[in-house]
Each structure stands twice: as C-alpha cells, then as structure tokens.
C-alpha cells in the first residue's frame, strides 16, 4: 500500500485494473470466437490485390483465407484496408453521437437527453473523430499508397505496422468504455480534458479513456516511425528527393510532427492519470498549476491539427491535377509550404489560451506566428486553383470533392485569421464561432478523404462505385456542411458559448440562438444522410459493382499523368489475368464505365 | 489574357461593392469601451476578409465553369514570379491584420494592467468575480458588499473586474460588453472596461466546467451612478 493513497483512490485503481483485465479477456474471447466462425463473408483475393480481378487457382498460396488472413496480415495494403474499415466504424459513431446532440439542440431546454449525456457525447464526438478517425483514416491511405507511390515492396517494418494497427481497436473500446460498462458514468471531460475538471471527475471511465488515448498515441508514433523509415530507405532507385510525390512529402512531414507531439501527449496523459489516482500535483493549484495542462496539451494539440490536415492536402495535390489534365502548378512551392507549416505548427499552441491571463507580450508573439502560418496555407490554395486554370477539368466524383475541399478550406482559413487577432479572439473564443471555424477545416479534411476513397476505389476493389450516388453524396455533404457551420459562425457572433447542453438563458438572444441551431441541425441531418449514401455506395459497389476493365481506369496516360500506383495496378492485373483475350474488350467497356462526367 | 484581366477586375469591384452593402454597418450601438474597440477592429477585418473570400471563391467557381470540358489543356509552366507575388500579397494582408490587432491589443480596455495612478483608482469601481460550480459571486471589497448571480455596474465609469475561481476553470463571457476572461483557480485575471450604455446584459460561463456549465449564467446590470449607490445601500441593509 502506497502511503498517501486515500481509500477512494485505491478503489478507483482496483476498479480500473479490474475493468482493464476484463476488457482484455473480452477481446481475447472475441478473437477466439471469430477464428472459429466459418462462412464469414470475406473475399479471398487473387494474388495480393484487393479482390480486383476475380479468382485464380493460385491466389490462396500467398495468404490464408477468411478471417485468419485479416488477423495475421503484415501486408501494407491489407493493413491499409483494416485502418480504413476501422475508421469507417469510428466515423459512424462520431457522426451518430453528434446527430443526437444536434437533435437535442433543436430547442433551448434539455428535452431529449440529460446534460450529463450531452457532455458525454460531446467528449466522445471530439475524441473519436480526432484520435480514432482522423489519424487512422490518413494512416489507411498512407499505408496503402506510400509504398506503391515510392516503389517499395512494403513498409520498412511490416510487423510494427501490424502492431500499430492492432493497438487501435482496444484503444477505441477503452475510450468508449463508459458507454457500455454498466454502473460507471461515461467520461465527460470534453476532448481537451482541461484540469482541474478532468482530475475532479470520479468516474473510472475517465481513466479508461486516458489509457485508450495512450494506446492510440503509441499507435500513431509507431506508424510515424515506420513511414519515416520507409520513405527514407525503401524508395525505388528511380525515386529520389527531387521527384518524390507530393503525398509522400506530406506523410513524411506529418510523421515528423507526430514524432515530436504524440509522445508529449502521452507524458501529459500519464501525469493526468497520476494526478487522478495517486494524488500527485502536476496540474493542481499548489503544484504545477491548471494552466500547465493547457500548455502541454496544446503543444501537442495544435500540431495535431496539421497532422490531420497535411496528408489530406497531399491527397488533393495528387488527385486534383489528375482531373485537370495537367501537372500540379508550383510543385516545389507546395512542398516548401508543407515543410513551413510543419515547422511553424509548433510555435502557435498558445493561441488557444489568449483568454487565460497569460503574459501579454507572449500573446503578441503567438499572434505573429499564427498569422505567419496562414501564408503557406494560402499559397497552397492558390497553387491548386492555378493548377485548374487552363486545364481540362473532368468533374468526376474525386474532382468534385477536391473542389469542395478548396472551397471549404478557404472559409476555414479566413475564419481562422479572425481568431489569430487577439482582441477579436477574446470575444469569440469558446463560442460557437470557434466550433464553426475548425469544422470548416475538418469538413475539408473529410472531402479530401472522400476524394481519395473514390479516386482509388477501382484500384483497391477492382470495381466501380455508383457515380450517381457519389454525386448525391457530394452535394448533400457540401450543402449540409455550409449550412451547419455557417450557422455556427453566426451563433458565435451572437455570443453563444460552445459545449452548452441547453441555452434557455433569460437575457441572451434565445430566439436567434434557436433559429440558428435549427439551421445547423438541418445541415447536420443532410451531412448524416450523405454519410449513409456514401456507406451504401462503398459497401454495395465493393460487393456487387461492375469490374474495372482497364488498368488505367481514369485515362490518365493520355495526359501523361499516370503515376506509380497505377503501374503497380497494371502489373497486378497482368499477373492475375490468365487468359490474355480479355484485353480486347477494354475499349467498349471503358466508354460506359468511364465516360466523361458532364454536369 | 486581357479579357480575363478585365473580367477579374470587374468581378473584384462588383464583389467589393456588394460586400460593402451587405456588411452590417453596426458602427453605433456599442455598450462599452472594450466592445467598441474590438468590434470596430472586427469590422475592419471583415471589410478586408469578406471581399477576399467572395473573390477567391468566385474565381474558384469561375475556373470550374470555364475550364470544364476544355479540350486543349495547356501544360503547367513554372512561374516563380506569380508564386512570389501571391506569397508577398498574402503576407502583406496578414501584416495589416497583425498591426491593426496590435494597436487595439495594447490599449488598457483590451489588455488590462493593474491600475497605476491614484486618481484612476479613486473613481474606479472594483469587483472581485468568483466562479464556482455553477454560480457566479460578485464581491465589492471597498463597499463590503457581496452579490450572487447579479453584477451591478455604474455606467460611464472605469470598472475593474478581478476574476478567479474556487474549483475548476470557468470563463467570464459578456458578449454584449465585449468582455471575456478565464477564471482560473489560484490566480487573479484582470479585466478593465467602461460600460457606456445602461441596460441588462447576459453573463455566460464560457469554459466547460461540468454538468451545470450551460446553466452557469448571471445578470449584468449597468445603471446610472445614483442607482448604483442606491443598490449598494440596499445590499448593505439586507446583509
């Protein structure tokens, strides 16, 4: 028994340990059960391409079939698919949680759910989408495509790659534990976990959440080390620094940011756990002080923003030129601006703390760096637009989402400049304006993800998605996003604070709040609907879509824009096709598969 | 090329004209010196930001409309001058934002410093604001008066708010007076302002503080100096 430990602390530690152990047992039981189950519908690929070219008689020698393959794989493409499937599940929960919240906010008082439930949902929404969706979905793309783009056989450390993924599902279960373990309240710390509130909350769900976050942090760090090693050492002979593709550049920069920020978050989380359970004083008033947490958290937290925005920028930089019929304009400047953002992102964290009473001289310097980081972001935007200028735009689903990205990113960026200005920030911080601003950026990130999913869909499934549904997905998503988050910008100007379960105030402009919240909720439903359409499209097309008939499904060769991953795809198809006679039909099927999409 | 330039120029002017009409001309109706300073800065930034946003989004949409199904794409050529031009242009705009913000930031009504002269102190009202879950307490140390849930301030006099918390972090947020400052346990944060119009305003807690966060509101009454003195007397009677 450690001296100075209160009985309460002991019980909470023992419950935490008991919960963790039982969680582990549940996981093992699930794996055993899954391994015993037969007839799970899973595709056995021909060679190691994602199910694209049908069955062959020698596809089974390389990998075991069924569920065993997925539990034991160390292939970067399979791990990419695992990351992707996992991210879709977490995205669904993140979206569902916010739809419940937005329904509650249709009227001022608490009618649908209690404040405690609302606070639990807002905590889960933020943490799920940033840690369990944002970072993993980018790892999905990076895992699948970086080795293909740089001509590597696989990642530098395939097994570490596998471990990095398998840390995530237990992490998610720990983070969500409060929702499904009876008898403990879900964590209500908000995703920023500000002390002393996060120390004060008695529920063991908070401890479990911190442990889960720790796992996701370890996972992200492992992945980052792997990507850095891969991009430095595994490149093919003909790929040097001068012609390394833009997506790999952004992943490399992102990995650098992860390497410097996630371990710091891990340390801060451990300190918080110690404060909660062992009576240390890292973040208490007598000890390090409550603001120490904010400094440590945002020193991780702001780079995190760029961790989840840089690879999407890379996706846009690689996809947008393909459908503009010309190469990316100012490639060098896009790379430089990526590196500039990477460096500057570590010098802006205190702009989240302008109202905390920090030294005014320090504040001014953080304002300066925050304004400076807007320059490279704007430069990228201009480069994308100039790439389209004088091009031949084909408004396919990936292209539409690229354009959507640029338009949302412009609004997100401009609203951010207002928050960089300290006096304006003092009025707007902690209001819905901030929520609106960063969701414009996050929605831009989502559009880039969708662009990537649609662009490479033929490559990793060998099938075509349904283009009509993709269009519906795009328009509903864009209209919904603009409605929701523009309403939030206006709510912020009206003074509505964020993280409010109710807004039945007696003097404030309740009628205006109500109207704007209803608009935001309508937009959220549209986004939700677009998500359902997306999910249906992806799943149904993967199972039953028309097979791709060409190894250049987007007809990139005629513009001279065919990149490595499609050459790999071509090679895969050649080895998979046993009968060379199928090639002659290509031209007919191409015209209906991949005709120009006109609005 | 010339036609494109003309078109862009026309588009630009149209946008600026539209936004000047569309922007709220809310130059009047500020309720405190702080709000006047911050909101006029905000308006200044809006006058720059809204036209630029509409212009850039307009160019984006125009580009898509103009070059979709364009049959002869031109190959990309490096254009270092163009790159440097827009980098510098962006930097200049942001420099303007920085300088304009800094000028406002340095004023005591935005960034309060502990009062320096005795004459200021003699006429100023001092209030200690204490946040706790889920309630605001306002103490008038010179008058020995404590009020819960209602902050009464005299109009047209300098007010100092010393803000702290008893448990977790809260934040004083009075949007109509342009005031926001976190209430952090173990430290006092200072706000200084002069309310200029009488009225009743909403005070919110803006820092997430637990289950009662959205109910942690208070009333701010700005009244004439006589009324304020009267109110203090009444409070002393009842306490």
């Amino acid at each position: 028994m450690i001296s100075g430990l209160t009985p309460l602390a002991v019980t909470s530690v023992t419950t935490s340990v008991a919960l963790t152990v039982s969680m582990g047992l549940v996981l093992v039981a699930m794996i055993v059960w899954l391994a015993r189950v037969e007839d799970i519908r899973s595709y056995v690929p021909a060679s190691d391409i994602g199910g694209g070219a049908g069955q062959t008689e020698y596809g089974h020698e390389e990998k075991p079939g069924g569920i065993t393959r997925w539990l034991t794989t160390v292939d970067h493409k399979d791990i990419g698919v695992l990351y992707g499937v996992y991210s879709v599940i977490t995205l669904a929960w993140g979206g569902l949680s916010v739809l419940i919240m937005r329904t509650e906010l249709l009227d001022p008082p608490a009618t649908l759910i209690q404040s405690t439930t609302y606070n639990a949902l807002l905590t889960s929404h933020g943490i799920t989408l940033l840690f369990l969706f944002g970072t993993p979905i980018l790892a999905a793309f990076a895992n699948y495509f970086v080795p293909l783009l740089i001509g590597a056989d696989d990642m530098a450390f395939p097994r570490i790659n596998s471990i990095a993924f398998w840390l995530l599902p237990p992490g998610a279960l720990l983070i969500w534990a409060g929702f499904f373990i009876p008898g403990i309240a879900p964590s209500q710390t908000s995703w920023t976990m500000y002390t002393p509130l996060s120390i004060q909350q008695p529920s063991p769900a908070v401890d479990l959440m911190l442990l889960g976050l720790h796992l996701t942090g370890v996972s992200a760090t492992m992945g980052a080390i792997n990507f850095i090693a891969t991009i430095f050492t595994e490149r093919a002979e003909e790929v040097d620094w001068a012609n390394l593709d833009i997506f790999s550049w952004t992943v490399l920069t992102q990995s650098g940011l992860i390497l410097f920020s996630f371990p710091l978050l891990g340390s801060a989380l451990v300190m918080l756990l110690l404060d909660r359970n062992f009576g240390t004083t890292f973040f208490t008033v007598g000890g390090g002080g409550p603001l120490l947490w904010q400094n440590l958290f945002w020193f991780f937290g702001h780079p995190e923003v760029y961790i989840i925005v840089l690879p999407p920028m890379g996706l846009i930089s690689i996809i947008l030129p393909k459908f503009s019929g010309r190469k990316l304009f100012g490639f060098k400047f896009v790379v430089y601006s990526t590196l500039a953002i990477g460096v500057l992102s570590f010098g802006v964290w205190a702009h989240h703390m302008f109202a905390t009473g920090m030294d005014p001289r320090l504040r001014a310097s953080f304002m300066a760096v925050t304004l400076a980081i807007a320059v490279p972001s704007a430069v990228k935007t201009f480069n994308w637009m100039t790439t389209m200028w004088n091009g031949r735009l084909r408004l396919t689903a990936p292209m539409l989402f690229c354009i959507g990205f640029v338009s949302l990113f412009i609004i997100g960026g401009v609203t951010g400049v207002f928050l960089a200005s300290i006096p304006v920030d003092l009025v707007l911080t902690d209001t819905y304006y901030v929520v609106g601003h960063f969701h414009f950026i996050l929605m831009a990130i989502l559009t880039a993800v969708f662009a990537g999913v649609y662009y490479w869909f033929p490559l990793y499934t060998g099938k075509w998605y349904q283009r009509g549904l993709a269009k519906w997905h795009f328009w509903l998503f864009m209209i919904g996003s603009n409605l929701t988050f523009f309403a939030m910008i206006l709510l912020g100007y009206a003074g509505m604070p964020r993280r409010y379960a109710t807004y039945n105030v007696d003097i404030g402009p309740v009628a205006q709040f109500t109207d704007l919240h209803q608009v935001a909720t309508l937009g959220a439903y549209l986004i939700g609907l677009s998500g359902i359409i997306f999910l249906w499209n992806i799943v149904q097309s993967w199972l039953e879509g028309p097979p791709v008939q060409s190894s250049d499904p987007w007809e990139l060769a005629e513009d001279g824009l065919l990149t490595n991953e499609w050459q790999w795809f071509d090679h895969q198809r050649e080895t998979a096709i046993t009968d060379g006679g199928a090639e002659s039909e290509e031209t007919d099927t191409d015209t209906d598969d991949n005709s120009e999409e006109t609005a | 090329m010339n036609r494109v330039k003309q078109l862009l120029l026309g588009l630009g002017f149209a946008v600026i004209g539209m936004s000047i009409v569309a922007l709220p001309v809310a130059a009047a109706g500020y309720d405190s010196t702080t709000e006047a300073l911050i909101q006029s800065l905000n308006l200044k930034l809006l006058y720059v930001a809204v036209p630029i946003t509409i212009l850039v989004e307009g160019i984006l949409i125009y580009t898509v409309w103009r070059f979709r199904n364009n049959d002869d794409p031109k190959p990309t050529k490096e254009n270092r001058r163009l790159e440097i031009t827009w980098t510098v242009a962006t930097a200049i705009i942001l420099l303007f934002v920085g300088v304009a913000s800094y000028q406002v930031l340095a004023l005591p009504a935005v960034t309060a410093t502990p009062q320096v002269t005795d004459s200021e102190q003699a006429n100023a009202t001092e209030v200690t604001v204490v946040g706790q879950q889920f309630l605001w307490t306002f103490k008038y140390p010179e008058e020995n008066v404590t009020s819960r849930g209602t902050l009464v301030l005299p109009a047209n006099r300098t007010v100092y708010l010393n803000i702290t918390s008893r448990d977790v972090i809260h934040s004083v947020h009075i949007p109509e007076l342009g005031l926001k400052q976190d209430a952090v346990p173990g430290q006092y944060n200072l706000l200084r302002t002069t309310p200029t119009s009488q009225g009743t305003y909403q005070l919110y807690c803006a820092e997430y503080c637990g289950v009662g966060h959205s109910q942690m509101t208070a009333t701010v009454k700005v009244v004439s100096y006589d009324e304020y003195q009267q109110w203090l007397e009444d409070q002393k009677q009842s306490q």
Side-chain angles (χ1 to χ4, degrees):
Chain A
M1 170 100 187
I2 304 161
S3 62
L5 216 58
T6 59
L8 184 75
V10 174
T11 46
S12 94
V13 171
T14 41
T15 25
S16 303
V17 170
L19 283 169
T20 316
V21 170
S22 55
M23 189 83 65
L25 289 174
V26 166
L27 278 172
V28 171
M30 271 173 58
I31 291 168
V32 169
W33 176 74
L34 282 171
R36 296 178 65 102
V37 167
E38 289 168 350
D39 297 336
I40 281 193
R41 183 168 186 180
S42 63
Y43 63 87
V44 182
S47 73
D48 59 350
I49 171 188
Q55 302 283 5
T56 64
E57 60 273 25
Y58 45 86
H60 312 285
E61 291 163 14
E62 303 185 3
K63 290 179 184 171
I67 200 81
T68 318
R69 166 193 170 184
W70 294 106
L71 291 175
T72 56
T73 181
V74 291
D75 175 4
H76 70 97
K77 295 182 290 297
D78 286 358
I79 291 174
V81 171
L82 284 173
Y83 267 113
V85 171
Y86 168 87
S87 304
V88 167
I89 294 166
T90 52
L91 177 66
W93 165 241
L96 189 70
S97 62
V98 81
L99 286 178
I100 300 169
M101 282 152 63
R102 287 252 50 107
T103 311
E104 157 64 38
L105 290 170
L106 280 168
D107 62 345
T111 36
L112 178 72
I113 49 174
Q114 302 276 333
S115 291
T116 44
T117 313
Y118 182 92
N119 293 345
L121 287 173
L122 80 85
T123 304
S124 193
H125 170 77
I127 286 191
T128 299
L129 289 175
L130 286 168
F131 292 91
L132 304 181
F133 171 76
T135 323
I137 188 70
L138 302 177
F141 283 111
N143 260 306
Y144 205 113
F145 294 107
V146 165
L148 299 185
L149 286 164
I150 65 174
D153 295 337
D154 202 316
M155 299 282 287
F157 310 115
R159 290 209 168 105
I160 288 184
N161 203 14
S162 169
I163 297 168
F165 170 75
W166 286 108
L167 285 175
L168 285 176
L173 288 178
L174 285 168
I175 285 169
W176 298 332
F179 287 98
F180 50 77
I181 297 182
I184 62 171
S187 168
Q188 295 162 44
T189 54
S190 85
W191 87 271
T192 48
M193 298 172 277
Y194 275 13
T195 53
L197 182 69
S198 53
I199 300 175
Q200 194 195 71
Q201 294 192 348
S203 171
V206 181
D207 299 306
L208 294 178
M209 183 183 82
L210 295 176
L211 291 169
L213 280 173
H214 208 58
L215 284 185
T216 60
V218 172
S219 157
T221 313
M222 281 180 163
I225 291 168
N226 212 342
F227 285 122
I228 292 172
T230 304
I231 294 173
F232 266 88
T233 62
E234 302 288 314
R235 295 195 311 274
E237 298 241 334
E238 66 274 11
V239 180
D240 54 14
W241 289 112
N243 63 10
L244 182 65
D245 67 283
I246 186 71
F247 182 62
S248 301
W249 270 113
T250 53
V251 171
L252 183 64
T253 315
Q254 179 217 27
S255 301
L257 295 185
I258 288 177
L259 208 54
F260 285 107
S261 64
F262 263 96
L264 189 125
L265 173 76
S267 323
L269 289 171
V270 169
M271 287 152 81
L272 184 55
L273 274 167
L274 292 173
D275 266 13
R276 284 179 54 82
N277 295 306
F278 297 100
T280 52
T281 56
F282 289 114
F283 305 120
T284 55
V285 173
L291 294 185
L292 176 62
W293 169 263
Q294 290 186 30
N295 275 304
L296 292 177
F297 179 83
W298 288 118
F299 188 84
F300 146 82
H302 206 85
E304 164 73 3
V305 174
Y306 293 100
I307 286 166
I308 56 174
V309 82
L310 282 174
M313 286 172 164
L315 288 175
I316 298 299
S317 306
I318 211 169
I319 298 169
L320 186 133
K322 300 279 192 294
F323 298 99
S324 303
R326 60 207 295 253
K327 288 195 163 60
L328 180 68
F329 178 84
F331 181 91
K332 263 193 195 151
F333 284 89
V334 178
V335 173
Y336 291 152
S337 63
T338 302
L339 297 173
I341 287 175
V343 173
L344 288 171
S345 71
F346 281 97
V348 297
W349 82 87
H351 70 209
H352 297 269
M353 303 164 60
F354 283 157
T356 55
M358 58 187 286
D359 189 315
R361 288 159 299 181
L362 274 178
R363 274 199 322 201
S365 64
F366 277 102
M367 173 169 78
V369 183
T370 306
L371 289 169
I373 208 169
V375 176
S377 311
V379 165
K380 279 179 187 288
T381 310
F382 296 141
N383 273 296
W384 292 318
M385 286 166 66
T386 318
T387 303
M388 289 195 275
W389 191 267
N390 272 337
R392 177 170 63 97
L393 303 191
R394 293 184 289 156
L395 297 180
T396 58
M399 184 61 175
L400 284 176
F401 276 105
C402 287
I403 296 160
F405 175 95
V406 177
S407 90
L408 289 171
F409 190 72
I410 292 165
I411 302 175
V414 172
T415 48
V417 171
F418 280 77
L419 292 174
S421 162
I422 295 172
V424 179
D425 176 84
L426 285 176
V427 175
L428 295 178
T429 185
D430 281 322
T431 69
Y432 261 86
Y433 183 95
V434 178
V435 182
H437 150 69
F438 71 69
H439 276 88
F440 268 112
I441 300 286
L442 293 169
M443 285 313 194
I445 291 170
L446 259 183
T447 53
V449 166
F450 292 140
V453 167
Y454 286 126
Y455 172 60
W456 280 310
F457 195 82
L459 188 145
Y460 58 82
T461 65
K463 310 271 178 68
W464 275 107
Y465 58 83
Q466 298 154 71
R467 286 196 305 270
L469 287 182
K471 287 259 168 70
W472 274 100
H473 172 206
F474 171 76
W475 286 111
L476 284 172
F477 184 85
M478 287 302 289
I479 294 166
S481 298
N482 281 297
L483 268 182
T484 302
F485 302 114
F486 199 72
M488 288 191 184
I489 298 281
L490 296 177
L491 272 171
Y493 268 124
M496 169 88 200
R498 64 192 285 204
R499 296 169 173 168
Y500 262 34
T502 58
Y503 50 98
N504 44 354
V505 289
D506 33 15
I507 308 159
V510 176
Q512 196 185 348
F513 286 168
T514 312
D515 293 346
L516 288 168
H517 272 302
Q518 285 172 353
V519 172
T521 302
L522 172 70
Y525 287 155
L526 293 180
I527 299 170
L529 184 61
S530 83
I532 291 168
I533 292 173
F534 165 73
L535 200 61
W536 171 258
N537 191 354
I538 294 300
V539 173
Q540 205 218 357
S541 306
W542 197 322
L543 297 175
E544 298 161 5
V548 174
Q549 302 292 344
S550 140
S551 45
D552 181 14
W554 295 114
E555 293 168 345
L556 301 171
E558 63 181 72
D559 292 321
L561 295 168
L562 204 64
T563 35
N564 286 351
E565 81 275 25
W566 296 108
Q567 281 153 14
W568 169 86
F569 185 56
D570 183 41
H571 176 70
Q572 287 301 316
R573 287 170 52 84
E574 272 176 25
T575 51
I577 291 169
T578 44
D579 171 22
E583 298 283 353
S584 57
E585 294 170 28
E586 255 182 52
T587 40
D588 319 331
T589 39
D590 263 11
T591 46
D592 47 34
D593 269 343
N594 188 28
S595 53
E596 291 271 304
E597 298 187 37
T598 45
Chain B
M1 194 64 215
N2 232 344
R3 243 192 48 218
V4 172
K5 262 192 188 151
Q6 275 176 0
L7 195 110
L8 284 184
L9 212 66
L11 196 70
F13 278 119
V15 161
I16 290 162
M18 271 189 333
S19 43
I20 285 175
V21 175
L23 280 177
V25 190
Y30 296 141
D31 299 314
S32 79
T33 48
T34 310
E35 199 206 6
L37 286 169
I38 293 178
Q39 290 300 349
S40 48
L41 170 68
N42 181 51
L43 203 62
K44 209 187 278 181
L45 298 187
L46 276 175
Y47 274 123
V48 179
V50 173
I52 287 179
T53 309
I54 295 177
L55 183 70
V56 177
E57 295 276 5
I59 294 173
L60 177 70
I61 291 164
Y62 173 77
T63 308
V64 174
W65 172 79
R66 164 92 192 275
F67 293 104
R68 80 178 199 285
N69 311 329
N70 164 29
D71 280 337
D72 89 283
K74 295 190 175 59
T76 312
K77 282 206 279 289
E78 284 298 312
N79 188 340
R80 188 177 291 236
R81 253 177 53 197
L82 186 60
E83 294 272 7
I84 289 170
T85 307
W86 64 43
T87 308
V88 171
T90 313
I92 287 172
I93 292 168
L94 290 167
L95 204 62
F96 157 79
V97 174
V99 171
S101 305
Y102 192 80
Q103 284 168 339
V104 174
L105 178 66
L107 298 167
V110 177
T111 302
T113 42
Q115 53 273 55
V116 267
T117 59
D118 291 342
S119 61
E120 262 188 356
Q121 203 158 351
N123 285 328
T125 311
E126 268 203 74
V127 188
T128 307
V129 181
V130 183
Q132 67 194 84
Q133 290 167 318
F134 297 96
L135 171 82
W136 292 104
T137 311
F138 306 100
K139 294 177 182 160
Y140 295 75
E142 295 150 341
E143 314 289 343
N144 213 355
V145 164
T146 302
S147 151
R148 283 191 163 191
T150 310
L151 170 65
V152 180
L153 297 173
N156 301 320
R157 282 172 172 260
T158 309
V159 176
Y160 286 97
L161 302 179
N162 266 308
I163 298 160
T164 190
S165 161
R166 239 182 239 169
D167 38 40
V168 301
I169 300 175
H170 304 280
S171 186
V172 172
H173 172 50
I174 317 172
E176 287 170 285
L177 299 180
L179 299 176
K180 169 151 324 97
Q181 194 62 248
D182 288 359
V184 184
Q187 71 180 53
Y188 281 87
N189 290 340
L190 191 65
L191 267 183
R192 169 187 157 147
T193 191
T194 308
T196 46
S197 45
Q198 297 181 22
T200 312
Y201 306 103
Q202 183 79 60
L203 186 153
Y204 307 84
C205 174
E207 189 64 75
Y208 177 70
C209 57
V211 64
H213 172 53
S214 62
Q215 302 293 330
M216 188 171 159
T217 53
T219 306
V220 181
K221 285 185 179 150
V222 177
V223 296
S224 70
Y225 189 66
D226 296 346
E227 271 181 84
Y228 168 70
Q229 291 293 358
Q230 186 57 50
W231 178 80
L232 284 177
E233 285 305 314
D234 295 347
Q235 292 296 308
K236 281 178 195 162
Q237 299 291 326
S238 61
Q239 273 172 14

